[in-house]
Amino acid sequence: MLLEVKDLSLSYGSKKVLKNVSFSLERGEVLCIVGESGSGKSSILLSIIGLLPKHSSISGSIKLEGRELVGLPETEYAKLRGKDIGIVFQEPSLYLDPLFKVKDQIMEAYTTHFGKVGAMDRVVETLKKVGVQDVERVMNSYPHQLSGGLRQRVCIAIATVCDPSLILADEPTTALDLTVQRKILGLFTKLKEEGKGIILVTHDFGVVAEVADNVLVLKEGEVVESGSVWDIFDNPKHEYTKNLLSATYLKA
């Protein structure tokens, strides 16, 4: 088992955002977490990677390859981020530093864990792997000089340059047009084929149909339904899941 989450509860001050959430993830599996805005989807990812605000209170268990992450000191968590757990955020413009070239930002993610030896070769290799054609130009560009699709590829490169076993993705295609969205989802499929475990947060069942093996449906911080992608699409049991699916079909 790559990741096992049991009875995860989370509060921001007096507000409970997650309530006894449980699920597991194997290598080579894509789990999509689906729900409306404010349902707690992103908070699950932040709980796993240990980037919660100071006023938060967390309980339950999060085990990565058998190692308990809840209560892990920040010094230990820092060793895991990037190396064992990579994360891709929704809006690359907010995540990428506008003052540094792309190559420096990817290299920093690598050298933090492995040092400078071979770092540039690894940057080039990773950019090619995420589908960047003009590697030299992209490496030497600042984020604002790139398209939205290229910026998201750079973010995926940062998340995967250290070859982590677990990749978290928070609505990584929301700001992209449909053609670019499909290409980015194709990258996640390739990562899955390499044996990565992937948790992808979305509100779009179209994305779920494209990449998911299993689905977790979240409503107001609680899991209302979970199962294989086939179970969820062919035989949804909870009314909330049915409504989300109906909304997707109406958009289509």
Side-chain angles (χ1 to χ4, degrees), residues 5 8 17 51 58 72 75 97 115-116 147 189 193-194 230:
V5 176
L8 177 64
V17 291
L51 291 175
I58 187 171
L72 198 67
T75 51
D97 193 322
K116 294 183 179 180
S147 67
T189 300
E193 290 167 355
E194 292 174 10
W230 306 112

Side-chain angles (χ1 to χ4, degrees), residues 14-135:
S14 60
K15 183 182 179 184
K16 255 204 161 180
V17 291
L18 296 176
K19 306 163 190 173
N20 299 313
V21 172
S22 297
F23 62 89
S24 60
L25 181 75
E26 300 278 6
R27 290 177 178 272
E29 178 187 334
V30 177
L31 171 69
C32 280
I33 302 178
V34 187
E36 297 171 304
S37 296
S39 60
K41 305 185 302 296
S42 298
S43 292
I44 292 176
L45 302 191
L46 296 177
S47 298
I48 293 168
I49 204 166
L51 291 175
L52 295 169
K54 289 181 180 178
H55 65 281
S56 60
S57 174
I58 187 171
S59 64
S61 174
I62 302 172
K63 288 184 178 178
L64 179 65
E65 296 183 307
R67 184 183 186 184
E68 182 60 65
L69 302 186
V70 173
L72 198 67
E74 173 55 28
T75 51
E76 291 300 307
Y77 241 128
K79 296 174 186 176
L80 293 175
R81 290 189 201 106
K83 184 173 177 288
D84 298 285
I85 309 172
I87 189 165
V88 181
F89 293 102
Q90 177 177 341
E91 182 43 73
S93 296
L94 299 176
Y95 177 64
L96 296 171
D97 193 322
L99 301 179
F100 291 90
K101 290 182 178 180
V102 161
K103 64 181 178 183
D104 298 320
Q105 299 191 52
I106 303 174
M107 192 177 299
E108 181 184 18
Y110 183 82
T111 58
T112 297
H113 298 285
F114 298 108
K116 294 183 179 180
V117 177
M120 185 55 72
D121 290 340
R122 180 62 182 165
V123 170
V124 171
E125 177 190 347
T126 306
L127 282 171
K128 287 179 179 177
K129 199 171 179 180
V130 300
V132 172
Q133 303 295 322
D134 190 355
V135 171

Side-chain angles (χ1 to χ4, degrees), residues 82-219:
K83 184 173 177 288
D84 298 285
I85 309 172
I87 189 165
V88 181
F89 293 102
Q90 177 177 341
E91 182 43 73
S93 296
L94 299 176
Y95 177 64
L96 296 171
D97 193 322
L99 301 179
F100 291 90
K101 290 182 178 180
V102 161
K103 64 181 178 183
D104 298 320
Q105 299 191 52
I106 303 174
M107 192 177 299
E108 181 184 18
Y110 183 82
T111 58
T112 297
H113 298 285
F114 298 108
K116 294 183 179 180
V117 177
M120 185 55 72
D121 290 340
R122 180 62 182 165
V123 170
V124 171
E125 177 190 347
T126 306
L127 282 171
K128 287 179 179 177
K129 199 171 179 180
V130 300
V132 172
Q133 303 295 322
D134 190 355
V135 171
E136 192 67 30
R137 179 184 70 83
V138 171
M139 277 175 51
N140 289 290
S141 295
Y142 292 92
H144 73 272
Q145 296 174 313
L146 304 176
S147 67
L150 272 175
R151 285 196 294 267
Q152 194 59 288
R153 287 176 192 268
V154 169
C155 286
I156 296 171
I158 291 171
T160 59
V161 68
C162 293
D163 198 28
S165 55
L166 174 62
I167 297 169
L168 312 176
D170 191 358
E171 308 226 26
T173 61
T174 298
L176 305 175
D177 66 50
L178 193 58
T179 302
V180 178
Q181 180 184 102
R182 295 210 165 199
K183 289 179 180 177
I184 295 298
L185 291 176
L187 290 178
F188 285 104
T189 300
K190 286 181 182 177
L191 291 167
K192 166 193 163 179
E193 290 167 355
E194 292 174 10
K196 310 292 186 193
I198 299 168
I199 300 178
L200 195 153
V201 157
T202 183
H203 62 274
D204 185 348
F205 267 102
V207 170
V208 174
E210 193 91 15
V211 297
D213 296 298
N214 292 298
V215 184
L216 199 73
V217 183
L218 205 66
K219 182 178 188 289

